[in-house]
Amino acid sequence: MANLRGGDLSRLRQLNSLSAIRALRGAGPLTLSALAERTGLSRPSTKEVVDELAQVGWVEEVPPSPGTMGRPARRYRFRANCGYLVGIDIGAHNVRAALADLDGQVLAETRQPALPGAPLDDRLAAIERAVSGCLTLSGKTVADLWTVAVGTTGIVTPDGRVAYSASVPSWTGLDLAGRLREMFPCEVLVENDSRLAALAESRRGVARGSRDVVFLHVARRMGAALIIDGRLHRGFGTAAGEIGMLPEMRWLQATDHLNGCAIVPEETAPEDAAGYTLAAARSGDPVALDAVGRYLDDLAVGAAAMALLLDPEVVVLGGGFSRAADVLLEPLRERLERSCMRMPEVLASTLGEECVVLGAIDYAVDHLDRQHFTADAGPVPPQAAVTSR
Amino acid sequence: MANLRGGDLSRLRQLNSLSAIRALRGAGPLTLSALAERTGLSRPSTKEVVDELAQVGWVEEVPPSPGTMGRPARRYRFRANCGYLVGIDIGAHNVRAALADLDGQVLAETRQPALPGAPLDDRLAAIERAVSGCLTLSGKTVADLWTVAVGTTGIVTPDGRVAYSASVPSWTGLDLAGRLREMFPCEVLVENDSRLAALAESRRGVARGSRDVVFLHVARRMGAALIIDGRLHRGFGTAAGEIGMLPEMRWLQATDHLNGCAIVPEETAPEDAAGYTLAAARSGDPVALDAVGRYLDDLAVGAAAMALLLDPEVVVLGGGFSRAADVLLEPLRERLERSCMRMPEVLASTLGEECVVLGAIDYAVDHLDRQHFTADAGPVPPQAAVTSR
DNA sequence: CTACTAATGAAGCGCTCCTTCGTAACTAGG
DNA sequence: CCTAGTTACGAAGGAGCGCTTCATTAGTAG
């Protein structure tokens, strides 16, 4: 079922190129021998692979490191700067963008405000401004972009439309991928924002290295996303993670405990109420702490359901409220401890606001690898040949 | 991360052997050209691969099919009978076993009664009797067995111990894999029974071909198992699927609605009460139907949670109560329809009682493929060389 | 008996990887 | 400054795998 089709010799080379690239990307400049050891190939074969990669522009030689015994070894590095990726986070109140190299290293970041009720075109314009801001900051042009990956609120269909968005009404029904392809002359990827945040946590965040991760997006609206067997789980209709829609999970009204806390001053803006309560709880206010407790009682139901069902290695607390992790984490652990068969690690996100943007970049990097892995055509995007020496 | 190590030439051959075997297993005897088309290899290469497989005993030639134009093509088939597998289902009241060839085709089946409270050794003896029954029926000996795969109630650790079993008290803490290895001189695999049932459904049951499947084990005790991305999901501590432990899911007492139904005669044995109510519901008894409705209200909570979280293609209703699928299926669909974002297919198991046994066999077949795929040593189990011509 | 059809089997080629070995470049020590 | 030691380089030769090509063979159809 998996792969019924057998392989060609070129496929073997493809496999080996990929593993060389992965090794180089993971461990900075490497000598031939070091690379050979990592890929499991012999030195001459490694040389062959590296030469080929250098020719098409994926890899280049760097000066050897001096001060070693013996003849200095030639060193090679992944040419992370032969193309660039943009990750975009389309939230209800902000559009964030970051430009990264092919290593996923961020070179520039921008943020554009947007209002939940703003018209469609305003938000699209904000996206364009956010990206061109990144380009200006980093001194690149739109022609340098290989991929634009977008995380957006709402449910995203496989072809990149927004099926439904509760927090950004104008977004529902939009052919987001289509509009973005008009905007940018490169590959465009669209995904749900919580999922990308989960991906970022599993790639470079607190869940790095874990194969099974439950990501809890705690914010005004609650969300969830899953990494299963090291991969983002989308579901058959790309609607996975919507467990919060079930009333019995008690996520729909969970935030009300924070918003409706008695200590919140009347003049507080509705979107700041929960933050106020969390801040008060941190400074020890008993009324606020009680509200947080009830909030967590609700949150823990869905979290426990996920932990019991999937038995993840890690549960990550991300999203806006995870800034208050110090008042949320330990009580959440206690509640999960009571219901779980095997207690997972419970950790707070450390990537903060940029989580989704970083996830989008990681998603773009993954996509590149996937293309390289399966592409029958050229693994090399158009610009590479030009950029090569 | 996935596979950093590159490949050898022999690895390519390994890949191609595997895809040839898969194609042959899937589609009966094939001519060289047909096989070449399926594997994507050229005819001469296919010949080479097939010759090698024939030499070690995996494949053999069969007489050509007459009546075709042109020179008759040689045909080859997978030698499913060069080794045998046993699947075992250790339930609370029965031990079932089935012997199958390497295609997973069942050749013999047996059942041994056992009581939930019976001592450990009685149950182990029942296993031995069940297996030797299969061997006798099929005329094989224990030396013909390549793999024994077992599905048992309870939570199974990665090394094949039973961490906890609610329905078979004496089972808790048992080193089941260890005991079975003393019994059988071959590979021994141990897994949770619901998971194997799920696997069977996704391989040969109603969920065949679906990559994401939720399996609902409906019986006196409720269970769940997941197929994600075509593979059994175990979780980090192999404790996945235990969503029913959460009180808010309302699975723990769901069956009480059936057991405690007013129409059940007092003299009915406790384990038959639910069946009585289901039967009455089928014949239209309004009180029973009402009880079934309340039962499904509870069942649907957990089912909806799973469907929302995972967005599976199919939800399969299996386990003892699935015999009453005609009264359960449609009402369950209605309830899920109300809560799901994207409604999955909801289907009843058609494999019935043998579900777990078949799943165990499929699991053994999978395991064989996995070994063949990754083994650095020989893909050929000890007997194969002997059996070969 | 002849024409047609479809698969066979052998030969030759190209690609990928491997092992081996003499050579080159640099450091350490006298 | 020169020599010994160390490490990597690069070229050569060989083996395995898959591909294409083509004359040959074993059937069916008329």
Side-chain angles (χ1 to χ4, degrees), chain B residues 6 19 24 28 47 57 74 83 85 121 155 164 177 190 201 227 230 241 257 271 274 298 304 314 324 326 334 365 385:
Chain B
S19 69
L24 283 174
K47 180 74 162 55
R74 302 172 71 165
L85 313 169
D121 288 328
I155 295 179
Y164 170 77
V190 179
E201 293 297 345
I227 305 286
H257 294 299
E271 64 262 30
D298 286 355
V314 187
D326 49 337
E334 279 165 26
V365 171

Side-chain angles (χ1 to χ4, degrees), chain B residues 20-359:
Chain B
I21 284 188
R22 286 225 173 111
L24 283 174
R25 181 141 67 199
L30 287 175
T31 69
L32 234 40
S33 324
L35 187 56
E37 196 179 348
R38 267 160 232 252
T39 55
L41 297 178
S42 71
R43 239 182 40 85
S45 304
T46 310
K47 180 74 162 55
E48 188 93 357
V49 169
V50 166
D51 280 352
E52 194 179 284
L53 287 171
Q55 211 162 25
V56 294
W58 280 105
V59 158
E60 76 182 348
E61 199 173 340
V62 296
S65 61
T68 58
M69 270 294 223
R71 177 173 177 169
R74 302 172 71 165
R75 290 191 310 161
Y76 299 88
R77 71 175 193 92
F78 176 67
R79 280 192 66 205
N81 55 343
C82 74
Y84 295 91
L85 313 169
V86 166
I88 305 178
D89 170 13
I90 303 174
H93 302 266
N94 288 299
V95 173
R96 291 169 191 279
L99 184 143
D101 62 21
L102 299 188
D103 258 344
Q105 210 79 301
V106 172
L107 303 182
E109 279 187 82
T110 58
R111 192 175 67 84
Q112 289 285 328
L115 293 173
L120 184 63
D121 288 328
D122 286 10
R123 192 172 297 269
L124 289 170
I127 294 175
E128 197 149 25
R129 282 198 305 277
V131 173
S132 55
C134 283
L135 289 171
T136 315
L137 280 173
S138 57
K140 310 293 171 202
T141 72
V142 76
D144 294 321
L145 296 184
W146 283 13
T147 310
V148 169
V150 179
T152 178
T153 53
I155 295 179
V156 177
T157 65
D159 60 332
R161 289 163 187 276
V162 179
Y164 170 77
S165 169
S167 49
V168 184
S170 69
W171 227 226
T172 299
L174 174 68
D175 177 13
L176 184 53
R179 298 299 287 267
L180 291 170
R181 284 199 188 97
E182 289 168 17
M183 236 182 255
F184 306 108
C186 63
E187 186 89 19
V188 169
L189 306 172
V190 179
E191 220 352 310
N192 169 271
D193 55 356
S194 296
R195 281 193 205 143
L196 295 183
L199 187 65
E201 293 297 345
S202 86
R203 288 286 189 281
R204 53 173 103 197
V206 289
R208 181 165 35 195
S210 301
R211 301 202 66 74
D212 295 309
V213 181
V214 164
F215 181 81
L216 291 177
H217 184 98
V218 288
R220 257 160 294 168
R221 296 183 47 81
M222 310 262 308
L226 310 174
I227 305 286
I228 296 183
D229 212 17
R231 299 159 44 139
L232 213 48
H233 179 73
R234 296 187 171 73
F236 181 66
T238 62
E242 297 297 328
I243 191 171
M245 307 275 292
L246 195 69
E248 284 86 351
M249 291 293 114
R250 297 174 17 201
W251 278 14
L252 292 168
Q253 285 85 29
T255 323
D256 295 349
H257 294 299
L258 302 178
N259 289 326
C261 181
I263 61 152
V264 176
E266 267 191 28
E267 67 275 14
T268 311
E271 64 262 30
D272 297 332
Y276 188 96
T277 307
L278 287 169
R282 184 182 292 127
S283 46
D285 183 302
V287 179
L289 279 170
D290 186 59
V292 168
R294 278 175 287 130
Y295 168 67
L296 284 172
D297 285 340
D298 286 355
L299 177 58
V301 174
M306 288 191 277
L308 279 165
L309 182 61
L310 298 167
D311 186 23
E313 187 172 356
V314 187
V315 172
V316 177
L317 210 64
F321 293 0
S322 65
R323 269 170 298 183
D326 49 337
V327 288
L328 296 176
L329 217 52
E330 198 45 50
L332 177 61
R333 276 201 198 104
E334 279 165 26
R335 284 161 176 79
L336 284 179
E337 195 99 51
R338 274 178 235 144
S339 6
C340 284
M341 287 293 305
R342 194 196 61 77
M343 182 67 186
E345 277 191 86
V346 180
L347 303 171
S349 163
T350 51
L351 300 175
E353 314 258 280
E354 296 134 40
C355 206
V356 175
V357 167
L358 293 175

